[in-house]
């Protein structure tokens, strides 16, 4: 039994970041799958504030919030390469800034563009593109945001690589087009080709079924 | 190279005050630029084009935005000075979690509870009370969230330690009462008494005036 346990839900992008980090660093761990519609008492005990996945349990001590967990992994297993964060404090600050930007701006807007329709969808997409432009510029001259290998910020944006095409297929809309975002699309390809990434992510057809059903439920709930 | 540190802030903002507090704790001299958010300077827009917000720290011409990111940067750049984050990885994770919790959950709920209207505000009062209770239980009878000395969570919690009291006074909404929150109440008293913190808070009467003006302008 590994001294590291990860509580996750199979479809959620947040615990997947942690899976990637642990795999890439070769850290042994046990996976505990949660049914988010019927959360275990253990999850609620370990994450009483948010009641969400991921939760990392290390030697019995829980840590929540994916970005906090990534930093913990980096600091606890110092000798395990590759490093997720660079050594220079300014570059570390930049990685943290981009990760926060991704979670605060890009993810919610792409999600909005996926689950809404009509004018709401259009507006969300415009806002998403306004923000993605910054990421496109940041990627100039870089294979990954972390440099030559996948880093902290790349893991945070990793959901783009496996979920955007799923969302596009379900909603029948192009979310990230190659004319406006060539560097971002190249980054997505480089990311999915990086070690341990594609082999650990959920199967595409399962994701399509899951998010299609979720989208239909959310659309049905919308006030007419 | 001569170190040049500039902070772009706004006198009423808890976020820019966090950055100034951290620099003072480390004994780092800096130049402060007060921004007018209704008329942002070209420099601010150049240094923070994505969010166009304060605070921004510029160190030898290199800008960093987002107050919690800045706090970590200050701590890492001055490892010998006053520790903002603890050394132990698990304690660091707890501090990061706590600071993020304040920004992601507490601040929006407190703002909505005090400044919102009707049902949305009532709901937010309930939520804010629940969230403050997490903080109350986390603090226990410790002097500070950082233990014997202030740390990252205390600095991030300046909103709860100082600003919340001013919101309550101006709006009449009561969130952090002594009988419900004895630990937090004691902590907030210690917090505003701390030498470095108190140098970096806006004068209370001026803050209250400012909030009153804002409220009547709505």
């Amino acid at each position: 039994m590994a001294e590291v346990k990860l509580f996750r839900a199979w479809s959620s992008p947040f615990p997947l970041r942690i899976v990637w980090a642990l795999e890439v660093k070769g850290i042994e761990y046990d996976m505990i799958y949660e049914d988010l519609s019927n959360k275990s008492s253990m999850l609620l005990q370990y994450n009483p504030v948010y009641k969400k996945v991921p939760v990392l349990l290390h030697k019995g001590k829980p840590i929540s919030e994916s970005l906090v967990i990534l930093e913990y992994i980096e600091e606890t297993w110092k000798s395990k390469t590759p490093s997720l964060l660079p050594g220079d404090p300014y570059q570390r600050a930049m990685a943290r800034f981009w990760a926060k930007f991704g979670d605060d701006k890009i993810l919610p807007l792409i999600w909005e563009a996926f689950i809404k329709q009509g004018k709401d969808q259009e507006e969300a997409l415009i806002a998403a593109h306004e923000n993605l432009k910054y990421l496109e510029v940041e990627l100039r001259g870089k294979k990954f945001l972390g440099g030559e290998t996948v880093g902290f910020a790349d893991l945070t944006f990793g959901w783009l690589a496996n979920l955007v095409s799923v969302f596009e297929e379900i909603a029948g809309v192009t979310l990230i087009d190659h004319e406006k975002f060539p560097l971002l699309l190249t980054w997505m390809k480089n990311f999915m080709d990086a070690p341990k990434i594609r082999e650990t992510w959920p199967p595409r057809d399962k994701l399509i079924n899951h998010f299609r059903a979720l989208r239909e439920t959310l659309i049905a709930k919308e006030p007419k | 190279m001569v170190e040049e540190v500039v902070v772009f802030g706004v006198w009423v903002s808890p976020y820019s005050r966090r950055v100034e507090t951290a620099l003072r704790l480390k004994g780092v001299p800096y130049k402060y630029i007060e921004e007018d958010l209704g008329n942002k300077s070209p420099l601010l827009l150049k240094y923070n084009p994505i969010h166009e917000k304060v605070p921004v720290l510029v160190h030898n011409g290199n800008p960093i935005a987002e107050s919690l990111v800045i706090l970590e940067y200050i701590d890492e750049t001055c490892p010998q000075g006053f520790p903002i984050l603890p050394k132990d990885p698990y304690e660091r994770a707890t501090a990061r979690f706590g600071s993020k919790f304040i920004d992601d959950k507490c601040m929006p709920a407190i703002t909505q509870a005090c400044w919102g209207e009707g049902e949305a505000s009532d709901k937010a009062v309930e939520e804010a009370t629940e969230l403050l209770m997490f903080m109350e239980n986390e603090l226990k009878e410790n002097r500070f969230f950082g233990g014997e000395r202030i740390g990252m969570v205390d600095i991030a919690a300046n909103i709860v330690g100082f600003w919340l009291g001013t919101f309550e006074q101006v709006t009449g909404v009561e969130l952090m009462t002594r009988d419900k929150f004895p630990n937090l109440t004691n902590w907030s008293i210690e917090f505003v008494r701390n030498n470095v913190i108190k140098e970096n808070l806006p004068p209370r009467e001026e803050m209250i005036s400012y909030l009153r003006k804002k409220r009547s302008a709505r």
Side-chain angles (χ1 to χ4, degrees):
Chain A
M1 179 145 46
E3 67 177 19
V4 176
K5 297 193 203 314
L6 175 65
F7 287 79
R8 69 174 292 196
W10 73 268
S11 60
S12 169
F14 300 97
L16 190 52
R17 297 170 178 175
I18 314 304
V19 171
W20 286 330
L22 293 168
E23 290 280 338
V24 146
K25 284 185 172 278
I27 297 165
E28 256 191 65
Y29 65 103
D30 288 333
M31 212 127 56
I32 298 171
Y33 282 96
E34 283 285 327
D35 171 2
L36 296 182
S37 60
N38 185 18
K39 292 171 186 176
S40 72
S41 54
M42 257 201 304
L43 178 67
L44 301 180
Q45 176 200 334
Y46 289 137
N47 191 358
V49 174
Y50 294 103
K51 307 181 172 64
K52 282 181 175 175
V53 289
V55 173
L56 189 84
L57 204 61
H58 183 212
K59 294 180 180 169
K61 288 198 200 167
I63 304 133
S64 309
E65 292 296 286
S66 61
L67 299 186
V68 176
I69 298 171
L70 287 178
E71 298 246 24
Y72 177 80
I73 289 171
E74 180 76 347
E75 289 174 355
T76 306
W77 287 275
K78 273 196 172 59
S79 59
K80 297 271 190 185
T81 51
S83 293
L84 299 176
L85 282 166
D88 170 66
Y90 188 72
Q91 295 308 322
R92 293 162 76 84
M94 290 303 100
R96 288 174 178 135
F97 173 85
W98 286 105
K100 191 176 197 299
F101 171 71
D103 278 0
D104 289 353
K105 297 275 183 192
I106 307 292
L107 200 151
L109 288 169
I110 293 284
W111 180 251
E112 276 283 296
F114 169 59
I115 62 171
K116 300 279 171 158
Q117 295 175 298
K119 196 154 185 295
D120 289 340
Q121 183 183 61
E122 269 173 48
E123 284 176 5
L125 202 47
I126 290 170
H129 287 173
E130 279 300 309
N131 283 282
L132 279 170
K133 273 195 282 193
Y134 294 114
L135 190 56
E136 181 74 11
V137 169
E138 185 62 17
L139 284 167
R140 281 180 196 163
K142 291 188 178 146
K143 185 177 184 195
F144 295 112
L145 291 162
E148 279 307 302
T149 55
V150 163
F152 185 82
D154 302 283
L155 291 181
T156 308
F157 281 105
W159 61 272
L160 288 166
N162 75 329
L163 286 182
V164 164
S165 72
V166 165
F167 291 171
E168 287 180 336
E169 184 174 321
I170 297 168
V173 65
T174 303
L175 295 171
I176 297 179
D177 69 86
H178 63 90
E179 264 175 42
K180 283 204 191 101
F181 303 105
L183 297 178
L184 183 52
L185 285 164
T186 304
W187 173 85
M188 282 156 66
K189 173 131 206 330
N190 286 334
F191 184 82
M192 90 171 100
D193 287 343
K196 303 290 183 187
I197 299 297
R198 200 167 7 190
E199 65 205 69
T200 52
W201 80 29
R204 187 184 160 80
D205 53 352
K206 258 189 112 182
L207 285 172
I208 291 191
N209 290 336
H210 171 81
F211 282 105
R212 175 172 284 135
L214 183 52
R215 185 173 187 262
E216 279 165 15
T217 309
L218 290 169
I219 285 175
K221 280 200 190 139
E222 283 278 301
K224 297 276 174 278
Chain B
M1 163 162 47
V2 175
E3 296 281 344
E4 202 212 22
V5 180
V6 183
V7 176
F8 289 78
V10 164
W11 72 276
V12 291
S13 163
Y15 303 103
S16 59
R17 295 283 179 167
R18 288 172 177 175
V19 173
E20 292 194 82
T21 300
L23 290 169
R24 300 266 184 126
L25 284 168
K26 295 282 191 187
V28 173
Y30 63 96
K31 177 178 163 190
Y32 176 77
I33 296 177
E34 175 74 19
E35 279 289 322
D36 171 1
L37 295 183
N39 186 19
K40 294 169 186 173
S41 73
L43 266 184
L44 177 67
L45 300 180
K46 168 184 157 190
Y47 287 136
N48 191 0
I50 295 179
H51 302 295
E52 298 182 352
K53 283 182 175 177
V54 294
V56 177
L57 180 88
V58 185
H59 184 201
N60 295 332
N62 295 318
I64 305 153
E66 298 296 323
S67 63
L68 298 182
V69 175
I70 299 170
L71 289 186
E72 293 229 32
Y73 176 77
I74 292 170
D75 205 33
E76 287 177 0
T77 320
C78 314
Q80 308 311 327
F82 185 98
I84 291 173
L85 275 166
K87 293 267 180 284
D88 171 71
Y90 191 76
E91 287 176 32
R92 289 166 77 83
T94 306
R96 287 181 175 125
F97 178 89
S99 314
K100 203 173 186 301
F101 169 74
I102 287 165
D103 278 1
D104 291 350
K105 298 291 256 179
C106 291
M107 186 51 170
I110 286 172
T111 306
Q112 181 73 284
C114 295
W115 301 99
E117 261 142 43
E119 215 188 291
S121 170
D122 295 336
K123 236 183 137 219
V125 167
E126 254 185 68
E127 197 195 342
T129 305
E130 217 185 289
L131 297 172
L132 287 170
M133 201 49 80
F134 281 120
M135 290 181 69
E136 172 80 8
N137 297 331
E138 181 65 22
L139 180 61
K140 302 185 195 49
E141 275 158 24
N142 292 321
R143 197 166 167 222
F144 296 112
F145 289 97
E148 268 308 296
R149 294 191 293 185
I150 61 173
M152 182 148 172
V153 178
D154 302 278
I155 299 170
N158 62 357
I159 292 161
V160 177
F162 174 79
W163 272 267
L164 177 55
T166 62
F167 294 174
E168 287 173 322
Q169 187 166 334
V170 170
T171 64
V173 176
E174 260 193 349
L175 281 179
M176 199 170 92
T177 57
R178 180 172 264 291
D179 50 73
K180 269 202 201 121
F181 301 101
N183 296 337
L184 271 182
T185 306
N186 289 335
W187 166 82
S188 67
I189 294 168
E190 284 270 14
F191 179 77
V192 300
R193 270 193 202 147
N194 173 280
N195 283 327
V196 177
I197 296 290
K198 72 178 178 214
E199 280 174 21
N200 284 294
L201 292 174
R204 197 163 198 278
E205 285 316 308
E206 285 178 39
M207 190 68 215
I208 301 241
S209 253
Y210 171 87
L211 290 171
R212 285 210 167 108
K213 276 200 200 107
K214 235 184 137 189
R215 189 166 193 243
S216 51
R218 292 188 326 161

